């Protein structure tokens, strides 16, 4: 009876949320990137519930969330030297490292892969939850598969109420985009998914760091990247300049420059900088969906710093 839950407990208490995890249920919780949907890494039936609740393809592996370096040793077979440097520099924080997996980790967590994604969130509520549970938690983003990742507990509730045991409520997430994913399981480190820890920051620690290109065998290593992602129901059009927007009929605009003055939009948002754009993007998509907006114009940004991750999410959300 995988989907028998009808009522989802809402709480701000990590202790209460941890009770649900211990009972084998699944719990949404805030992190500094987006909300995650967690299960005890050692509980295969709880892990299966995550896939059922999200409608997630079963070949898409989950990230393990830890609260200490000791926990990494329980789930990773080895920590290669370059991974150790990145851990030292960026944990806790919005970085996921792909490492060879320990034999204790059930195949359900990694979709049968011999590697596991490991991340130590820096959000105090996430840390407290993992500590209370006393075990790493596997957690994808807490959205229905294919929808924008949730940056508020209300967005989690819209997607998953009645399908999960508990929502641990926090504030709107600080960053708004998912973690940077770096493959450290082979000799050459590769960024599989750009995020808030930037290419420039990673290269300062590991100079040979590369970015996986689309169509790359490396990119294919991250099964999640082949699915359309982060997508609102509306058509997403990328424009370099606001004046390229052509229709105002049931349309919306988000970007760094002021919206075009000759058009009136259902929703519009001018962001102060790339960080604010990243912070607001998924919430803006969801607000557009709620108003049944049909077309969303998104201004492109330069692909440096956080702009690389933002450009990646915009491209994935966009219709060709
Ligand atoms: O910020 C984040 O990373 C959030 C929060 C909740 O921590 N989590 C998140 O999880 O975005 P998810 O499942 O939505 O995205 C994880 C990505 C997917 O593209 C998945 O395919 C990839 O990481 N991934 C996970 N384990 C992997 C592995 N062993 N090898 C390659 N890619 C992996
Ligand atoms: Mg996701």
């Amino acid at each position: 009876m995988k989907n028998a839950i009808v009522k989802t407990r809402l709480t701000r208490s990590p202790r209460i949320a941890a009770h649900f995890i211990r009972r084998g249920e699944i719990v949404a919780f805030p992190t500094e990137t987006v909300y995650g949907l967690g299960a005890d890494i050692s509980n295969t039936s709880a892990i299966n519930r995550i896939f059922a609740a999200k409608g997630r393809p079963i070949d898409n592996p989950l990230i393990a969330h830890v609260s200490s370096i000791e926990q990494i040793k329980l789930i990773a077979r080895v920590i290669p030297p370059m991974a150790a440097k990145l851990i030292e520099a960026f944990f806790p924080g919005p970085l996921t490292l792909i490492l060879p997996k320990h034999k204790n980790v059930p195949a359900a967590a990694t979709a049968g892969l011999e590697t596991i994604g490991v991340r130590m969130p820096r959000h105090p509520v996430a840390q407290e939850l993992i500590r209370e549970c006393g075990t790493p938690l596997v957690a994808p983003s807490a959205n229905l598969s294919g929808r924008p990742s949730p940056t508020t507990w209300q967005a989690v509730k819209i997607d998953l109420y009645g399908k999960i045991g508990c929502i641990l409520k926090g504030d709107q997430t600080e960053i708004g985009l998912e973690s940077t994913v770096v493959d450290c399981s082979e000799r050459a480190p590769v960024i599989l998914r750009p995020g808030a820890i930037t290419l420039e920051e990673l290269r300062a620690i590991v100079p040979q760091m590369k970015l996986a290109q689309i169509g790359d065998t490396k990119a294919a290593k991250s099964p999640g990247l082949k699915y359309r992602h982060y997508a609102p129901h509306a058509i997403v059009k990328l424009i370099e300049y606001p004046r390229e927007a052509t229709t105002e009929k049931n349309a919306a605009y988000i970007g760094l420059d002021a919206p075009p003055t000759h058009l009136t939009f259902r929703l519009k948002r001018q962001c102060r900088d790339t960080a604010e754009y990243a912070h607001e993007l998924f919430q803006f998509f969801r607000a557009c969906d709620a108003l049944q907006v049909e077309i969303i114009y998104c201004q492109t940004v330069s692909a440096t710093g956080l702009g690389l991750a933002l450009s990646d999410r915009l491209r994935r959300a966009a219709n060709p």
Side-chain angles (χ1 to χ4, degrees):
M1 294 290 278
K2 273 184 197 138
N3 293 319
I5 298 162
V6 285
K7 200 166 179 292
T8 297
R9 173 79 182 262
L10 301 182
T11 179
R12 286 193 178 267
S13 161
R15 286 192 63 185
I16 292 174
H19 288 309
F20 282 85
I21 295 285
R22 278 192 225 103
R23 286 210 304 261
E25 297 200 39
I26 56 179
V27 171
F29 62 97
T31 81
E32 69 276 20
T33 57
V34 300
Y35 276 73
L37 178 60
D40 177 343
I41 192 169
S42 63
N43 187 330
T44 300
S45 65
I47 295 171
N48 290 337
R49 282 181 184 210
I50 290 181
F51 286 87
K54 281 182 59 98
R56 183 175 176 99
I58 51 157
D59 67 349
N60 196 358
L62 306 178
I63 295 172
H65 294 66
V66 300
S67 60
S68 68
I69 303 290
E70 290 67 46
Q71 283 184 336
I72 302 177
K73 294 177 185 152
L74 299 175
I75 56 179
R77 185 163 48 77
V78 285
I79 302 178
M82 66 185 162
K85 283 190 194 164
L86 295 171
I87 288 170
E88 167 82 25
F90 301 113
F91 276 27
L95 177 66
T96 298
L97 300 179
I98 306 298
L99 302 172
K101 110 176 170 57
H102 197 286
K103 60 177 180 344
N104 291 347
V105 176
T110 62
L113 296 180
E114 283 308 310
T115 54
I116 182 146
V118 179
R119 159 156 141 73
M120 188 188 290
R122 70 168 179 236
H123 194 295
V125 175
Q127 288 188 353
E128 203 180 325
L129 173 68
I130 301 165
R131 269 200 308 273
E132 280 286 339
C133 294
T135 170
L137 299 180
V138 280
S141 50
N143 50 284
L144 288 174
S145 205
R147 303 275 300 132
S149 295
T151 56
T152 63
W153 64 262
Q154 290 91 340
V156 176
K157 189 173 169 214
I158 287 168
D159 277 16
L160 296 175
Y161 191 88
K163 296 182 168 184
I164 65 177
C166 173
I167 297 174
L168 178 53
K169 296 195 288 183
D171 295 337
Q172 182 167 356
T173 60
E174 173 199 334
I175 296 166
L177 303 180
E178 306 84 351
S179 64
T180 309
V181 177
V182 175
D183 185 7
C184 294
S185 68
E186 291 181 31
R187 197 162 301 150
V190 176
I191 299 176
L192 300 178
R193 179 177 73 182
I197 302 293
T198 64
L199 175 62
E200 296 84 351
E201 288 172 313
L202 291 165
R203 280 197 177 142
I205 306 295
V206 177
Q208 68 271 39
M209 186 70 63
K210 286 206 172 53
L211 183 63
Q213 301 301 319
I214 303 172
D216 226 343
T217 47
K218 281 282 185 190
K221 272 195 75 173
S222 207
L225 301 181
K226 69 180 185 234
Y227 300 107
R228 184 168 183 237
H229 253 128
Y230 322 114
H233 295 308
I235 291 170
V236 173
K237 288 269 181 229
L238 304 188
I239 54 176
E240 196 174 346
Y241 300 105
R243 64 167 186 272
E244 293 168 42
T246 50
T247 176
E248 61 185 2
K249 206 171 149 283
N250 217 355
Y253 169 88
I254 185 168
L256 294 177
D257 291 336
T261 46
H262 64 291
L263 300 175
T264 317
F265 293 102
R266 297 278 320 269
L267 265 186
K268 58 187 172 183
R269 175 98 201 202
Q270 182 182 8
C271 304
R272 193 176 341 110
D273 51 24
T274 310
E276 188 179 83
Y277 196 167
H279 184 259
E280 292 304 318
L281 181 70
F282 290 153
Q283 196 55 20
F284 189 81
F285 282 168
R286 285 176 174 267
C288 288
D289 280 350
L291 288 174
Q292 296 180 323
V293 163
E294 283 168 42
I295 177 160
I296 307 173
Y297 292 103
C298 297
Q299 188 178 24
T300 53
V301 296
S302 72
T304 56
L306 183 61
L308 181 67
L310 181 56
S311 301
D312 171 78
R313 304 309 189 273
L314 288 172
R315 190 172 47 72
R316 288 177 193 284
N319 301 71

